[in-house]
Amino acid sequence: MNKLLVALGLAATVALVGCNKKESPETGATTGEHLENAADQAGHDIADASHNAANATATAVDNTAEATAEAADNAAAHAEDAAHNAKEAAKDATAAVAGSVEQGAANVKEKAQQ
């Protein structure tokens, strides 16, 4: 966009300078030829700016895709870790409950024998 504005500013400057001169420019080109050249240059600048914008967009899309894939991998790894931790916690809880039941049964048996 900046290149477009520069090109249009250049074209306007050339047009104003060309209109104010009474003699031919040093190059021997007419004002119309200067405007045509400025328009051609503006067209090239616009094409370059569009190409650069397309490349920047493609790069951003690639980076976003890579970041998304990495985030998905990290989420999967964390989910796997969480599942493993939940499994270990369930084992520990089961062992604790079994131990409490055995202790309670032992206490009941001991009291019954008294």
Side-chain angles (χ1 to χ4, degrees), residues 13-95:
T13 302
V14 169
L16 289 175
V17 170
C19 289
N20 288 333
K21 283 188 175 183
K22 292 185 179 179
E23 58 191 52
S24 297
E26 291 178 18
T27 59
T30 65
T31 302
E33 290 171 335
H34 280 292
L35 289 175
E36 185 178 333
N37 290 340
D40 287 344
Q41 185 60 46
H44 291 297
D45 289 347
I46 291 169
D48 289 345
S50 298
H51 180 72
N52 291 340
N55 286 341
T57 301
T59 300
V61 168
D62 289 345
N63 291 343
T64 301
E66 289 174 14
T68 301
E70 186 176 331
D73 289 346
N74 287 340
H78 288 132
E80 187 176 330
D81 289 344
H84 177 72
N85 291 341
K87 179 181 174 184
E88 292 301 317
K91 283 183 186 177
D92 293 345
T94 301

